[in-house]
Amino acid sequence: AMEKVAETVNFPCRYRSMGCEEAFHYSKKKEHEDLCEFRPYHCPCPGARCGWSGNLDGVLPHLLQSHRSVTTLQGEDIVFLATEIQLRGCIDWVMLQHCFNTNFMLALEKQDRVSAERVGSDSRDAGEAPPLFYAVVQIIGTRADAENFVYKLELTNSQTSKRLLWEAVPQSIHEGLSSVIATHDCLSFDARLAEHFAENGNLAINVTVARRQL
């Protein structure tokens, strides 16, 4: 009897106390809650192993107070400088960009990877594949906020005049950096290409944020 009642009753979202007014059939409830805009935000700073969580208004104060190594640049057109990109291991470079009265988080993540040639093989002659870099811009805001902007990342080599461009709508920090990378919604390139655009081991990424023409 209770099962029949459950099939006809809509249950409130678990984040009702945080402002969500939605209610769902029990079979749809978890699906909604996994993406609910009112679910807590977690610290977006990659590599920090920080356990902070809270509401959106608390994200920026947390970053400024607890992650003071993260600097902030003002303006819609800036240069994000990642230093010593040749260092081995998994490394993250992070900074904030403030423009249009909005804050964005810029992250460059370097990940080691297993060479496809070595998977399932004991060959000692197979060379290691170069590490991968992922460059991401996320808005410190909601998904709806993100739809109002577009960003562009550009790598340039003044000697060869070659350029690498990426343009997209930023993701919300609600999604998490790892989720953005997993869906390939970011600029990705390997270490060989990074070295081509780097100068003295430092990689400069031109970052431009603009309002989207809706």
Side-chain angles (χ1 to χ4, degrees), residues 30-43:
K30 186 181 184 303
E31 179 182 349
H32 160 78
E33 291 172 348
D34 288 343
L35 300 173
C36 180
E37 291 290 349
F38 292 92
R39 73 189 191 278
Y41 285 77
H42 297 284
C43 176

Side-chain angles (χ1 to χ4, degrees), residues 1-168:
M2 291 301 294
E3 292 181 357
K4 292 184 178 180
V5 171
E7 290 177 358
T8 60
V9 172
N10 284 338
F11 296 87
C13 173
R14 66 183 296 186
Y15 303 117
R16 184 177 183 179
S17 62
M18 301 180 73
C20 184
E21 298 179 353
E22 300 287 349
F24 297 88
H25 184 267
Y26 73 92
S27 63
K28 301 290 185 181
K29 186 171 178 286
K30 186 181 184 303
E31 179 182 349
H32 160 78
E33 291 172 348
D34 288 343
L35 300 173
C36 180
E37 291 290 349
F38 292 92
R39 73 189 191 278
Y41 285 77
H42 297 284
C43 176
C45 193
R49 296 183 179 179
C50 178
W52 179 91
S53 66
N55 59 30
L56 178 58
D57 292 339
V59 174
L60 185 61
H62 165 74
L63 289 174
L64 297 178
Q65 294 170 13
S66 300
H67 303 281
R68 296 186 179 181
S69 61
V70 179
T71 59
T72 303
L73 291 183
Q74 305 285 335
E76 60 264 33
D77 192 356
I78 66 168
V79 176
F80 176 22
L81 186 64
T83 59
E84 299 181 294
I85 63 168
Q86 76 281 1
L87 293 175
R88 297 180 65 85
C90 298
I91 306 172
D92 295 283
W93 294 264
V94 185
M95 70 175 301
L96 300 177
Q97 180 177 0
H98 181 81
C99 57
F100 303 109
N101 201 33
T102 304
N103 292 286
F104 300 85
M105 189 185 79
L106 321 177
L108 177 67
E109 183 164 297
K110 179 182 180 181
Q111 294 183 1
D112 288 329
R113 64 175 178 174
V114 178
S115 171
E117 292 83 0
R118 298 182 66 179
V119 175
S121 172
D122 294 328
S123 173
R124 297 181 180 180
D125 297 328
E128 292 186 0
L132 289 173
F133 288 82
Y134 300 93
V136 181
V137 174
Q138 292 179 281
I139 189 172
I140 301 180
T142 66
R143 290 180 183 175
D145 296 330
E147 290 297 324
N148 295 316
F149 298 96
V150 63
Y151 74 92
K152 180 174 70 175
L153 302 177
E154 181 177 1
L155 301 177
T156 59
N157 183 309
S158 57
Q159 296 181 345
T160 63
S161 298
K162 288 186 177 180
R163 297 191 304 163
L164 181 63
L165 290 171
W166 170 267
E167 187 171 318

